[in-house]
Amino acid sequence: MVAVQSNPSSTTVATGAELVIESLESHGVETVFGIPGVHTLALYDALRNSSIRHVLARHEQGAGFMADGYARATGKPGVAVVITGPGVTNIATAVGEAYTDSSPVLVISSNVESPYLDDMRGNLHDLKDQMAVMKAVTKWNARVTAAHEAPGILNEAFERLTSGRPLPVHVEIPLDVLDQPESADRLPREPFIVVPEPSEEKIERAAALLAGAQRPLIYAGGGAISSGAAPYIRQLAERLNAPVLTSIMGKGAIPEDHPLSLGALWSAGNAVDDYLKQADTVIVIGSKLGAQATDMFQMVLPDNLIRIDIDPREMHLNTQPYMPLLGDAALVSERLVAALSDTVALAGIDQTSEVVEVRKAAEETAWFAERRAYVDALRRALPRDGILSTDMTMMSYVACGVYPVYEPRTFFFPSGFGTLGFAVPAAIGAKIARPEAKVVAIVGDGGFQYTMEELGCAVQERLSLPIVIFDDSTYSAVKHAQHQERGGRYLAVDLVNPDYVKLAEAYSIPGVRAHSPEELEREIGLAFERELPTIIVVPIESWV
Ligand SMILES: Cc1ncc(C[n+]2csc(CCOP(=O)(O)OP(=O)(O)O)c2C)c(N)n1
Ligand SMILES: [Mg+2]
């Protein structure tokens, strides 16, 4: 066990709201996303006097996705500030996405004055059980009942955000507490983070199992990305000569042009599936092996299964490992690399030439691979460390298979909750977090309309951000499912859309159409040169 402790303390008079903002500052928060209201005036007053930058969203769902995108791009908690009631219910959807995708988002909200809490006495923004709303989408949430509690509760919020599996948390502060003056010790409680770690003996046994494997294979999930395990996974793969397969959330755990990368190309019955069945030892790093990733648990794993996970529940979720290694994926992978030092004799065979063949075969049969030309154009347009933020659109599903990701934290997909409208605000959050990075959002014509109001935020922040809309005037994913599973009985899948180029004009930003992959690549290049967002509409033929 490793204990990480922190923080100095200070004493002067401050309000509850000032203590909250001071706590954010002391935890290194540089940016918050939100929309103010009469229920957060005290927080905004305190923000004015702080070093924190406030980014004004146009809807709280957008603020939540921005905070999520900020967290995905950096690994640092993304923070959103919202009002009571509708602010909270609006952001709950985005927080639900952050929960399924293990993204550390902190939501600070107000609530009505303490005497009226949860009582529906007719106060503005009354919500019957706000804590329950946020409990459904967070790992932990807490109510500050007196100003002096604020620093301690914020400490605990950050402790929970930064330990264990990264998941969203929520802190609410009633109106009267926000304005309550407090002269007590600002930081009454020292955070105490306990990081579990496997014993040396367990690491050695796992290393011996891997060393004795003829056909070892590594399967990396989102935990590999969020823990920073990528460099050690690469070393482990190279040392063992083990192919690396990832989930969609694990894309970037090894550069997908590495000779040992199998991409995220598993699907039931394909070439990668056949290959995986030949592996005699598999090490799963930071993955829940969930229903979507395994196509309803069809992925067959060998008995010699080593599993690294920080979350005791996920360790035994969906598949029981032969050897559980509870701990941070980066830390444990690093220790495994050390235990497999050059002097350890390895039994593994050279799998590199097989990997090339298997990968090629799997790419050819990947989902709608025949439509990959636009995905290839996106890859050419973005540098290796460029970020692609994708939505629930057919082109994203193609990208999940055949868009090669080279670095961690450079491919976003609303994987678990599958929320339409994620891509654009998440891209805004990423661009604000990493202004030097090239960021592109791709979205369908349907998904764009879920959060297109955030264009206002991107324009106001003058973000150099190409937004690519694949326009087929259809909810194609649904139409495709109606075609495949309901005998082509279509309902509610055709859309009448606005002219998105004219929408760009309305915001006084460039809007263009790209009619081919080459035009798309060129337009993205031009958009990167502008200090404003660019709308790039790509009219595409029907998928069904
Ligand atoms: C919030 C939300 N509501 C509904 C859905 C169901 N849904 C999934 S894909 C889709 C269609 C998306 O259309 P579009 O963005 O145009 O992308 P396309 O499938 O046409 O490529 C819908 C309605 C969803 N994923 N999320
Ligand atoms: Mg569409």
Side-chain angles (χ1 to χ4, degrees):
M1 297 279 181
V2 180
V4 186
Q5 300 205 22
S6 69
N7 270 337
S9 71
S10 64
T11 47
T12 37
V13 182
T15 64
E18 286 166 344
L19 291 175
V20 169
I21 300 305
E22 215 173 84
S23 294
L24 295 183
E25 278 182 313
S26 75
H27 286 283
V29 174
E30 291 166 357
T31 307
V32 298
F33 303 90
I35 299 179
V38 288
H39 274 196
T40 48
L41 293 177
L43 285 167
Y44 278 73
D45 243 359
L47 274 171
R48 265 179 71 92
N49 297 323
S50 77
S51 61
I52 298 174
R53 168 184 181 188
H54 182 275
V55 175
L56 182 60
R58 298 298 188 269
H59 183 291
E60 288 82 359
Q61 186 183 174
F65 287 140
M66 288 174 204
D68 185 350
Y70 184 98
R72 288 185 201 223
T74 58
K76 284 168 57 180
V79 183
V81 181
V82 297
I83 64 155
T84 325
V88 167
T89 52
N90 278 350
I91 204 169
T93 295
V95 182
E97 187 68 66
Y99 194 102
T100 57
D101 296 354
S102 300
S103 185
V105 167
L106 165 63
V107 177
I108 307 276
S109 80
S110 51
N111 204 338
V112 298
E113 294 189 336
S114 304
Y116 311 115
L117 283 166
D118 307 326
D119 231 6
M120 301 301 282
R121 301 272 296 277
N123 284 281
L124 177 66
H125 305 321
D126 255 350
L127 178 58
K128 188 153 68 91
D129 195 347
Q130 183 165 282
M131 289 295 281
V133 169
M134 292 306 282
K135 181 170 184 275
V137 290
T138 54
K139 167 192 209 177
W140 171 89
N141 68 336
R143 172 177 284 167
V144 179
T145 63
H148 72 86
E149 292 173 2
I153 287 177
L154 264 296
N155 275 355
E156 183 167 354
F158 279 94
E159 182 182 314
R160 290 181 187 267
L161 279 166
T162 52
S163 63
R165 187 152 70 95
L167 290 168
V169 303
H170 164 231
V171 174
E172 75 161 42
I173 311 107
L175 266 177
D176 51 320
V177 180
L178 283 174
D179 274 320
Q180 199 176 69
E182 178 53 57
S183 58
D185 185 346
R186 300 272 176 98
L187 293 166
R189 212 177 48 79
E190 289 284 318
F192 186 80
I193 299 170
V194 178
V195 184
E197 256 198 274
S199 65
E200 198 47 47
E201 189 241 323
K202 280 198 84 174
I203 294 281
E204 263 155 35
R205 279 177 50 215
L209 195 64
L210 287 168
Q214 285 224 308
R215 288 181 164 278
L217 185 142
I218 299 169
Y219 183 85
I225 303 296
S226 58
S227 67
Y232 310 113
I233 288 175
R234 183 184 181 146
Q235 287 170 29
L236 204 56
E238 287 171 356
R239 178 74 186 111
L240 291 168
N241 218 330
V244 181
L245 177 63
T246 77
S247 67
I248 293 168
M249 291 303 291
K251 274 173 93 70
I254 189 162
E256 286 190 51
D257 56 353
H258 189 285
L260 286 165
S261 168
L262 286 168
L265 283 161
W266 181 90
S267 75
N270 78 346
V272 171
D273 189 33
D274 291 343
Y275 196 61
L276 175 60
K277 285 182 182 141
Q278 294 175 37
D280 59 1
T281 305
V282 169
I283 175 161
V284 174
I285 304 177
S287 170
K288 65 165 74 69
L289 299 168
Q292 291 193 82
T294 61
D295 196 359
M296 296 315 288
F297 314 110
Q298 294 186 73
M299 187 185 278
V300 179
L301 294 166
D303 290 341
N304 278 352
L305 183 66
I306 302 168
R307 197 167 183 183
I308 305 175
D309 212 294
I310 188 81
D311 185 334
R313 176 178 183 267
E314 300 233 323
M315 178 61 86
H316 298 283
L317 192 67
N318 299 325
T319 302
Q320 290 289 350
Y322 165 71
M323 193 171 289
L325 298 176
L326 188 69
D328 175 79
L331 212 76
V332 177
S333 306
E334 185 181 16
R335 287 180 60 197
L336 277 177
V337 172
L340 287 163
S341 65
D342 297 346
T343 54
V344 176
L346 303 177
I349 60 163
D350 186 351
Q351 302 187 74
T352 3
S353 55
E354 295 169 351
V355 166
V356 175
E357 293 303 312
V358 169
R359 192 186 161 125
K360 197 161 155 269
E363 285 204 358
E364 278 164 12
T365 60
W367 204 78
F368 277 105
E370 66 278 14
R371 305 276 294 253
R372 66 176 293 168
Y374 278 115
V375 170
D376 293 341
L378 289 164
R379 187 62 278 184
R380 288 195 304 274
L382 272 159
R384 286 183 77 87
D385 64 349
I387 295 173
L388 184 66
S389 179
T390 76
D391 212 74
M392 293 300 280
T393 178
M394 299 289 273
M395 207 60 86
S396 297
Y397 313 145
V398 179
C400 286
V402 301
Y403 176 87
V405 175
Y406 303 127
E407 292 190 13
R409 304 192 179 284
T410 59
F411 184 78
F412 301 174
F413 178 63
S415 165
F417 220 36
T419 319
L420 281 170
F422 161 87
V424 171
I428 292 174
K431 184 68 189 169
I432 282 171
R434 291 190 48 207
E436 80 296 349
K438 301 269 190 271
V439 182
V440 172
I442 67 166
V443 65
D445 51 305
F448 182 63
Q449 291 179 67
Y450 273 72
T451 49
M452 67 186 198
E453 74 285 348
E454 301 309 340
L455 205 46
C457 172
V459 172
Q460 190 162 352
E461 293 292 330
R462 301 189 69 79
L463 300 181
S464 174
L465 179 65
I467 297 170
V468 181
I469 305 171
F470 288 104
D471 189 357
D472 53 8
S473 294
T474 312
Y475 283 149
S476 283
V478 185
K479 188 168 185 181
H480 183 253
Q482 288 176 346
H483 174 73
Q484 298 290 95
E485 297 166 32
R486 302 284 149 172
R489 294 186 295 281
Y490 303 126
L491 179 66
V493 287
D494 295 325
L495 299 174
V496 173
N497 288 330
D499 180 335
Y500 295 118
V501 170
K502 285 195 179 139
L503 182 73
E505 203 183 301
Y507 279 99
S508 305
I509 59 168
V512 294
R513 283 196 175 77
H515 294 278
S516 67
E518 294 67 33
E519 277 182 36
L520 174 62
E521 184 185 351
R522 197 184 63 238
E523 290 299 343
I524 291 175
L526 293 172
F528 282 149
E529 285 165 24
R530 302 184 186 114
E531 295 296 310
L532 278 170
T534 302
I535 296 282
I536 306 173
V537 180
V538 184
I540 51 168
E541 68 196 63
S542 157
W543 294 82
V544 184

